[in-house]
């Protein structure tokens, strides 16, 4: 399809180029650091150099003497002002029914610092230079304490928090333990595996930033910040931290340069900045440098797991047991408790009809940065467990890994399918994705390629991952019953202006997903209004209804569905107005492609004509209010369940251990697709991040809690030359319970790819085990038999 053809069709299903990219690639984006206010000050945080230390006192006298310094505010000052802790938004119960053990989480450390990089003071000055100079002169008196760093040893180490024994936030369980035990007692074969899911550091292109302002005349606060869900930020800062009343606090998240989950959470820095702005009565800006981001952004993953899979004589799965220890870091972050529990354990059925599953998770505190959702959030960890142990079972049984998966897959006629771990899959055709992936990778030709590689002294391997994920977290009632602190609906509003242009307000937030394009496509398609006449507005609590933002691949399935329902309300009202204008009954008016058509006549009115009339009371039904606008809160009935097959093919240089990813195929079922161009981009980005986890990335702390991978020199991100051209395709089974039939695509690439890549590498190594990331040194040592 030519570029002209791409842009001529802008409805649902058209590969429209992202309209927002023009401003991004020309430097016209409006990011938080681009926003300035008169009289603005600059903030620099003082951070703990110790992983665990008692704060005896903080001497700020020398810092305050620096020219241009306006103030030095500490954690103790926040306590004195009566500010509350940063809350965790999901209450998880242990398997004995007790509530999780929540540690106090002050916005800035007041008495004890619990990880390297935790802020304990904020220096505010006329310039960044002066603030940095002064920050170096702040003199804390620390008593360094023993740090708990090793995840495996944390339950047996010194107690970090008084009253929290074994450093356990919770011991959570899901599934039928007795039935699973019986399945293993009857098993013909049991495969066991020990796995590590490495800690990741998000590294969004734009570091976190904020600008806090206080208007003394009105008592109103405004916080510009790099947030994925500004309404949740406002709720927490008003109701829990109590910086300001909710009606006096406005949160604006302008253009945001990537998030990957790390900008969902409520952080110490924006909390301290907006509070400090009220204290000094002047705007304050803070922008993280990359080193701060490494230390203080919420990290991801970090699990150690033992899993066992039971199979019968025919190779059918009969039981799965999983025990995981999950690192929560020093504090429970906003959604940190839910990631290794409800977003992980519920996905351990995968695509398979395993009748008995039991999982236990220990959530453990350590003196490291808090751990929370990172692209996929629990789903990549679950897929890694399931797909690594299935691959291992196939090798132990001498079965083709594709065949073993196929014989255990849930079939189309099985839907809706209730898993043993609390989910009900509504629809799917997993074999279709597997078959298409095998075709694209040329599976039949793999042995020939493997032989040619051997001639060049390289080992070639192929690995599979048949993943499933749960997206669009829902419904609210169920989520709240399971411990969520808020509902999981989304809001949407459509306003057709008198001249026929459209303003769309969505609670979903775009930070790379392309909402300004896809949401406009949806509204254009439903209302028959030109795509170019539709504006998408998001990210400002002062302009739209309360909403829950963007995470968990929920934007289109939940936010887009809200807009579809709002469009339906507009059409119904428009029919009444059009009927009045054509002197007919509303039930005799149809709507099609932007036209209100009177049945059995040649009369028709465009939606623009009806919109104009709606604002002119002289020609308007008496029982209707003026205007053509509608808003909706959409609460899904279920999760959506994207699924697919990823296949990786690698070559390993046996002399150096260098592994090259030579082929990668991803075939995904995302339901109906609104914009295939954007979907492919999302899959490409997700796969790149998954490959990074599998082969390159690892956040490492030493025994003292010092981050050893605190810069791009030590933390290796994937580059373009680390990746092949991906072969991407889709199959379609529409979601059965949302009006668009969509499922979500933003995280799939990061969910399926790590297991596929590691399975390919272990295949190339003759089934020698290797942990992520599979660095050249690890691979070389495995080849040498170490």
């Amino acid at each position: 399809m030519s570029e002209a053809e791409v842009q001529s069709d802008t409805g649902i299903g058209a590969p429209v180029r992202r309209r927002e990219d023009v401003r991004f690639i020309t430097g016209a984006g409006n990011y938080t650091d681009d926003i300035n206010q008169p009289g603005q000050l600059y903030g620099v945080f003082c951070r703990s150099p110790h992983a665990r230390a008692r704060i005896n006192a903080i001497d700020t006298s020398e810092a305050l003497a620096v020219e241009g310094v306006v103030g030095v505010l500490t954690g103790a000052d926040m306590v004195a002002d009566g500010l509350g802790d940063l809350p965790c938004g999901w209450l998880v119960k242990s398997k004995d029914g007790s509530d999780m053990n929540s540690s106090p989480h002050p916005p800035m450390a007041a008495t004890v610092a619990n990880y390297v990089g935790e802020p304990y003071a904020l220096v505010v000055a006329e310039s960044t230079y002066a603030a940095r100079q002064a920050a170096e002169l702040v003199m804390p008196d620390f008593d360094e304490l023993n740090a708990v760093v090793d995840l495996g040893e944390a339950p047996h180490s010194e107690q970090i928090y008084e009253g929290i024994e074994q450093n356990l936030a919770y011991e959570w369980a899901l599934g039928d333990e007795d039935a699973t035990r019986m399945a293993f007692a009857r098993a013909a074969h049991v495969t066991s595996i020990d796995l590590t899911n490495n800690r990741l550091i998000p590294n969004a292109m734009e570091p976190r930033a904020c600008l806090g302002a206080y208007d003394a005349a009105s008592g109103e606060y405004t916080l510009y910040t790099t947030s994925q869900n500004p309404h949740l930020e406002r709720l927490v800062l008003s109701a829990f931290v109590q910086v300001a009343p909710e009606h006096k606090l406005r949160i604006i998240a302008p253009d945001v340069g990537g998030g990957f989950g790390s900008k969902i959470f409520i952080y110490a820095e924006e909390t301290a900045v907006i509070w400090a702005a009220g204290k000094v009565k002047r705007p304050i800006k803070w922008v993280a440098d990359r080193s701060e981001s490494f230390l203080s952004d919420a990290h991801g993953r970090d699990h150690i797991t033992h899993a066992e899979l039971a199979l019968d004589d025919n190779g059918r799965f009969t039981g799965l047991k999983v025990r995981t220890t999950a690192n929560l870091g020093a504090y429970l972050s906003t959604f940190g408790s839910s990631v290794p529990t409800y977003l992980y354990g519920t996905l351990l059925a995968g695509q398979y009809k395993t009748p008995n599953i039991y999982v236990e998770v220990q959530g453990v505190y350590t003196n490291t940065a808090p751990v929370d959702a990172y692209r996929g959030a629990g789903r990549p960890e679950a897929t890694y467990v399931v797909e690594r142990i299935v691959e291992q079972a196939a090798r132990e049984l001498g079965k083709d890994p594709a065949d073993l998966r196929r014989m255990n897959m849930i079939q189309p006629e099985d839907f809706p399918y209730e898993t043993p771990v609390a989910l009900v899959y509504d629809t799917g055709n997993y074999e279709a994705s597997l078959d298409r992936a095998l075709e694209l990778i040329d599976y039949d030709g793999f042995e020939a390629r493997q032989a040619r590689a051997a001639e060049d002294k390289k080992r070639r391997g192929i690995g599979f991952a048949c993943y499933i994920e749960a997206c669009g977290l829902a419904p609210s009632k169920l989520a709240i019953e399971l411990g969520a602190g808020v509902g999981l609906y989304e809001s949407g509003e459509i306003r057709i202006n008198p001249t026929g242009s459209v303003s769309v307000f969505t609670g979903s937030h775009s930070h790379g997903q392309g909402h300004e394009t896809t949401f406009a496509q949806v509204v254009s398609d439903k209302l028959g209004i030109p795509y170019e006449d539709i504006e998408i507005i998001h990210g400002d609590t002062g302009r739209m209804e309360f909403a829950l933002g963007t995470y968990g691949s929920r934007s289109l399935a939940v936010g887009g569905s809200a807009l579809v329902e709002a469009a339906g309300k507009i059409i119904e009202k428009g029919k009444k107005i059009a009927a009045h204008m054509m002197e007919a009954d509303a039930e005799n008016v149809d709507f099609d492609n932007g036209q209100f058509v009177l049945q059995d006549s040649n009369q028709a009115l465009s939606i623009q004509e009806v919109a104009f009339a709606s604002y002119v009371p002289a020609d308007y039904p008496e029982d209707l209010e003026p205007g053509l606008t509608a808003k909706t809160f959409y609460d899904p009935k279920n999760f959506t369940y994207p699924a697919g097959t990823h296949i990786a093919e690698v070559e390993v240089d046996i002399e150096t251990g260098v592994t090259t990813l030579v082929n990668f195929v991803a075939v995904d079922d995302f339901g109906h697709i609104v914009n295939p161009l954007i979907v492919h981009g999302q899959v490409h980005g997700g796969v790149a991040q998954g490959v990074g986890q599998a082969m390159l990335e690892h956040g490492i702390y030493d025994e003292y809690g010092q981050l050893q991978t605190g810069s791009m020199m030590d933390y290796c991100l994937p580059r373009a030359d680390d990746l092949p051209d991906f072969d991407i395709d889709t199959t379609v089974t529409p979601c059965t319970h949302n009006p668009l039939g969509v499922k979500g695509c933003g995280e799939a690439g990061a969910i399926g790819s790590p297991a596929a890549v590691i399975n390919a590498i272990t295949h190339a190594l003759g089934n020698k085990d290797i942990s992520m990331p599979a660095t050249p040194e690890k691979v070389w040592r495995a080849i040498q038999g170490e």
Side-chain angles (χ1 to χ4, degrees), residues 451-464:
R452 287 195 298 270
E455 293 173 1
D456 296 328
K457 296 184 178 180
K458 294 183 178 180
R459 297 183 184 177
R460 201 172 184 103
I462 193 166
F464 295 78

Side-chain angles (χ1 to χ4, degrees), residues 91-102 154-156 164-175 177 322-326 328 332 337 340-342 344 358-365:
L91 174 65
V92 169
K93 290 184 178 292
S94 288
K95 60 183 181 180
D96 64 2
S98 61
D99 289 343
M100 67 186 185
N101 298 310
S102 296
H156 317 293
I164 301 181
E165 296 179 359
Q166 298 181 282
N167 297 312
L168 289 179
Y170 50 74
E171 283 193 285
W172 179 85
L174 182 65
E177 183 178 15
V322 176
R323 182 165 177 81
T324 293
T325 303
L328 301 173
L332 283 173
S337 60
T341 52
Y342 291 109
Y344 168 69
Y358 180 70
V359 54
E360 289 186 348
V361 177
Q362 288 186 317
V364 176
Y365 291 112

